[in-house]
Amino acid sequence: MNKILVIDDDKAICELIKINLELCGYVCDYATDPTKGYALIKQERPSLVVLDVMMGAISGYDVAKKIRSNPDIAKTPIIMLTALGELNNKLEGFNSGVDDYLTKPFEIEELKARVLALLNRSGQEIDSLRVKETLTSNDITLIPESYSVKILDKTTRLTPIEFDILYVLMQHKNEMVSSKDLMKEVWGYEDDNDIDTIRVHMTHLRSKIDKISSQKNKYIKNRY
């Protein structure tokens, strides 16, 4: 049974999330202190963490970075839940290693949908490595065994989300892939209003590709 840990200094929000997730069949615990929350992650190894940002001296960004730097819990899926909804806030969240970002006020049904999608994604990660074949298009090769992309003789590692974005794009070579289709294929749900999530990951992906490519913006193009 999947266990969800909520870390938010607002007890009312913690209780609201806990009640609704438990009605879905999850085991849910929460902490209103980020230090205690991080200790619970190490102790209980939850299936997923819902993490607030503004929690006093220790921010949610700090907690996310600590999770990602600890090899025992580094692969724990993280949904950041915060009132900070500007693009730079989302960028900082994704740079900290979070997998998804939901702004307050939020609809509980949307949170439940994102929890389910992220759990499905993380549960299928090992199987997806067996299923996905090595893709090659001209001088670019996507290598599933190591979540890497190779251009000529240079290689760089990608995050699982970056890998899946590039995998979808390469499967649809020379076709336009909408943001809605990317959300469905990569995150497992559709959200026309969450373009910032895709924008941030695409920025990171382009940056990594440009570092090993002799030509900027050659492989991924926007169509407005």
Side-chain angles (χ1 to χ4, degrees):
M1 183 176 294
N2 289 308
K3 182 168 188 176
I4 315 297
L5 178 64
V6 182
I7 305 176
D8 193 312
D9 60 354
D10 188 328
K11 186 176 181 180
I13 289 180
C14 290
E15 291 283 1
L16 173 68
I17 296 174
K18 175 181 170 65
I19 291 170
N20 281 277
L21 290 183
E22 287 183 342
L23 288 173
C24 293
Y26 300 114
V27 174
C28 189
D29 196 3
Y30 67 82
T32 56
D33 176 83
T35 300
K36 180 181 178 182
Y38 179 68
L40 285 174
I41 296 171
K42 294 192 295 181
Q43 177 183 337
E44 299 182 2
R45 305 293 176 88
S47 305
L48 183 145
V49 173
V50 178
L51 181 62
D52 185 25
V53 173
M54 297 181 291
M55 296 183 289
I58 301 176
S59 72
Y61 302 134
D62 297 326
V63 176
K65 290 175 183 177
K66 290 179 70 174
I67 293 171
R68 294 294 178 243
S69 64
N70 185 330
D72 293 332
I73 55 175
K75 293 186 178 181
T76 306
I78 304 171
I79 296 177
M80 187 155 273
L81 185 64
T82 173
L84 301 176
E86 298 298 321
L87 179 58
N88 64 306
N89 302 130
K90 294 184 178 183
L91 180 59
E92 186 169 0
F94 288 123
N95 282 338
S96 302
V98 306
D99 300 282
D100 205 351
Y101 197 107
L102 187 60
T103 54
K104 300 176 183 177
F106 63 96
E107 295 292 336
I108 195 67
E109 292 302 319
E110 183 176 6
L111 175 62
K112 290 192 290 186
R114 295 196 181 205
V115 166
L116 178 60
L118 194 50
L119 286 173
N120 286 340
R121 176 187 173 81
S122 61
Q124 294 170 359
E125 182 173 315
I126 296 176
D127 290 337
S128 69
L129 290 177
R130 300 193 190 105
V131 172
K132 289 176 181 173
E133 72 276 13
T134 298
L135 289 182
T136 299
S137 177
N138 297 325
D139 56 356
I140 183 170
T141 300
L142 197 57
I143 307 168
E145 291 80 7
S146 56
Y147 279 123
S148 300
V149 59
K150 182 178 181 181
I151 299 177
L152 298 177
D153 60 342
K154 296 182 179 180
T155 303
T156 188
R157 291 289 298 272
L158 305 175
T159 67
I161 288 179
E162 291 165 353
F163 177 93
D164 283 350
I165 290 173
L166 189 53
Y167 186 86
V168 171
L169 294 178
M170 288 181 67
Q171 283 186 314
H172 297 275
K173 176 186 174 183
N174 298 325
E175 299 176 16
M176 184 182 72
V177 180
S178 69
S179 58
K180 183 177 181 179
D181 288 339
L182 270 180
M183 291 299 297
K184 185 176 181 180
E185 291 289 334
V186 176
W187 281 268
Y189 59 87
E190 299 178 21
D191 189 345
D192 292 330
N193 298 318
D194 204 11
I195 188 65
D196 284 347
T197 293
I198 295 176
R199 185 179 298 156
V200 170
H201 286 294
M202 291 294 284
T203 298
H204 287 183
L205 179 57
R206 278 197 179 92
S207 176
K208 289 183 178 181
I209 289 176
D210 284 348
K211 286 180 180 179
I212 61 172
S213 171
S214 60
Q215 185 175 341
K216 305 289 185 184
N217 301 319
K218 175 182 178 182
Y219 299 97
I220 303 175
K221 299 183 183 298
N222 285 340
R223 180 178 294 179
Y224 298 98

